[in-house]
Amino acid sequence: MSKNSNASQAPIHFTTQRALAHRLVLSTLTGRAIHVSKIRPSSPTNPGLAPHEISLLRLLEAITNGSNIEISYTGTTFVYRPGLITGCAPGSGASGGVIRHELPAGCSRGVSYFLIPLCLLAPFSKSPMNVLFSGPGVVTSATPAGDLSADSVRTAILPLYSGFGISNNIEVRILRRSNLGPGGRGGAGEVQLVFGHQVRLPKTIHMLNPGRIKKIRGVAYCTGVSASNNARMIEAARGVLNPMTGDTYIFSDVSSAPYLPSGEKSVSNLKKKTGVGFGLSLVAESSTGCLYSADVASPPSGGTPPEDLGRHCAYQLLETVSLGGCVPIAAAPTMFTLMAMGSEDVGRLQIGRDVICSEHIINLGRDLRAFGTSGWGIRESTAGDDGDVVVSVVGRGIGNIGRKIA
């Protein structure tokens, strides 16, 4: 079904802000308009769309041509009618082939909240995608809201696209690191996404063998604090991971904290330090190329020793691996979405029972179904006795509309 015929259909109705980012991605990919209501209607101080959600809508408007967004006066209801995904095509608003998107200071989500949806849209764009995230709201570390760090997107999410035949000229560049600022908002980092591989249709995948963990890599980072925090995190994490595998290497990245204008009118050039903290990102790779990630960052209020944070991240990684399957829960939405949007063939993915039974993945299946994709076929895995299941997904064959037109 073409996007022109989808545009004439009535919008799909959703309520609350749950999974809003992924619903906007599915709306843009399928060309179906959505109507979302009851967005924080009972909040006495901040009803309606949050700053990061409004910023995501503006980003979608920047990378598409013909999108229409209607937001109610209170912000608790909006209608989104998607346009054609153009990326950084000439005349689309990109300056020098780069779209510069500034995140507001009130943003409480990590930059991965924007990177992951953008990566899902980029393969279906008319032109390559090159977006630079800047401003006082860019947080490159993991956040308490469950966002991955920019390091985990680079090392655990982007490599998954190679299984779909999407691997050339894909990169996440962390130009300036930042943790959550005071009050859990903002960070003033800088991240650039380059996605230059566009395809007509993603390939059909069959991932049925998780394999055994053969190596662990990671990045310990600190901004505006002593570099000894990295060494202490690495030592604590290796104390847990070394008995599991001998091939463990964790990089150390030390950077100065970004500065922002203080806002005091009396001193115009006074700046304050923000985004101070430290964190750890770990990725385990199996013998068959499956990736499992874990992310922990220091809270904005501080008070967490680096040793506790390192051990916490290591145990989180072991727990993720113990859930089984070929992909962790953080990567499952990316895999299922690309499988559903791919060629009209049956793709198969082995996944852990606890992962497929989680509320997040169940709601993802319902949302995919609402947008007209096929239902999932689930059966017990015949390989091994680890209790995994095999999910079969029939692609819808939507593919890259802009590439087809061009």
Side-chain angles (χ1 to χ4, degrees):
M1 185 178 292
S2 67
K3 284 200 172 188
N4 291 333
S5 59
N6 284 339
S8 61
Q9 297 181 5
I12 303 174
H13 288 259
F14 294 105
T15 57
T16 76
Q17 69 279 5
R18 179 181 59 81
L20 179 61
H22 201 262
R23 285 171 173 172
L24 289 170
V25 168
L26 293 177
S27 172
T28 308
L29 289 175
T30 59
R32 291 292 305 273
I34 60 172
H35 177 280
V36 185
S37 58
K38 299 181 181 178
I39 303 173
R40 302 182 185 89
S42 58
S43 174
T45 55
N46 297 303
L49 291 165
H52 59 270
E53 293 163 346
I54 295 174
S55 185
L56 179 60
L57 287 170
R58 288 175 176 165
L59 177 62
L60 292 177
E61 191 176 27
I63 64 170
T64 58
N65 182 21
S67 294
N68 185 289
I69 304 169
E70 300 172 7
I71 304 176
S72 67
Y73 180 76
T74 58
T76 57
T77 303
F78 76 91
V79 178
Y80 171 68
R81 295 182 176 86
L84 184 69
I85 309 171
T86 56
C88 295
S92 62
S95 175
V98 179
I99 293 176
R100 288 170 171 81
H101 186 69
E102 185 169 327
L103 299 185
C107 183
S108 60
R109 302 297 296 265
V111 72
S112 63
Y113 177 84
F114 306 90
L115 286 176
I116 294 176
L118 208 57
C119 289
L120 283 170
L121 296 174
F124 306 96
S125 173
K126 185 177 181 179
S127 298
M129 197 86 72
N130 192 338
V131 180
L132 177 65
F133 293 93
S134 60
V138 179
V139 179
T140 63
S141 68
T143 64
D147 299 314
L148 300 176
S149 67
D151 293 283
S152 290
V153 175
R154 177 175 56 85
T155 57
I157 301 296
L158 287 187
L160 297 175
Y161 286 80
S162 62
F164 296 93
I166 307 167
S167 58
N168 299 330
N169 194 21
I170 301 175
E171 186 180 2
V172 169
R173 301 170 184 165
I174 304 173
L175 306 178
R176 185 166 62 232
R177 290 189 177 274
S178 64
N179 284 54
L180 278 173
R185 296 179 182 276
E190 195 168 309
V191 176
Q192 185 175 10
L193 172 68
V194 179
F195 209 113
H197 193 171
Q198 280 65 46
V199 294
R200 174 67 188 95
L201 283 172
K203 292 181 179 178
T204 304
I205 66 163
H206 303 279
M207 294 181 64
L208 301 174
N209 184 9
R212 299 288 182 180
I213 301 301
K214 67 174 184 178
K215 66 179 181 181
I216 296 174
R217 296 290 182 265
V219 177
Y221 52 88
C222 62
T223 55
V225 295
S226 171
S228 63
N229 290 298
N230 278 0
R232 293 162 64 184
M233 280 190 296
I234 292 171
E235 184 180 4
R238 288 183 68 94
V240 176
L241 299 174
N242 278 354
M244 309 298 172
T245 176
D247 190 1
T248 303
Y249 191 88
I250 303 174
F251 299 86
S252 177
D253 190 340
V254 181
S255 58
S256 58
Y259 285 84
L260 285 175
S262 64
E264 297 183 14
K265 295 182 179 179
S266 57
V267 187
S268 60
N269 59 350
L270 184 64
K271 294 185 177 181
K272 62 178 180 179
K273 187 185 293 186
T274 186
V276 176
F278 50 87
L280 181 62
S281 167
L282 294 174
V283 176
E285 183 178 348
S286 75
S287 55
T288 55
C290 298
L291 299 172
Y292 308 88
S293 64
D295 255 316
V296 178
S298 59
S301 57
T304 303
E307 291 84 0
D308 290 355
L309 196 144
R311 281 190 291 268
H312 182 194
C313 191
Y315 285 129
Q316 188 184 104
L317 179 67
L318 296 178
E319 183 181 3
T320 302
V321 174
S322 70
L323 293 177
C326 295
V327 292
I329 190 169
T334 297
M335 297 296 291
F336 284 130
T337 303
L338 289 175
M339 292 170 72
M341 296 297 131
S343 56
E344 298 181 25
D345 197 359
V346 180
R348 294 176 296 168
L349 177 65
Q350 183 167 321
I351 197 166
R353 189 182 299 272
D354 290 335
V355 175
I356 194 69
C357 291
S358 65
E359 181 183 3
H360 179 54
I361 302 302
I362 290 174
N363 289 329
L364 169 68
R366 289 171 177 167
D367 288 346
L368 284 168
R369 187 68 173 155
F371 281 96
T373 65
S374 302
W376 296 345
I378 302 176
R379 62 174 174 83
E380 296 281 348
S381 173
T382 56
D385 54 355
D386 46 12
D388 290 350
V389 297
V390 175
V391 181
S392 301
V393 180
V394 180
R396 196 181 175 203
I398 294 177
N400 191 326
I401 301 296
R403 196 174 183 87
K404 187 176 180 182
I405 293 173

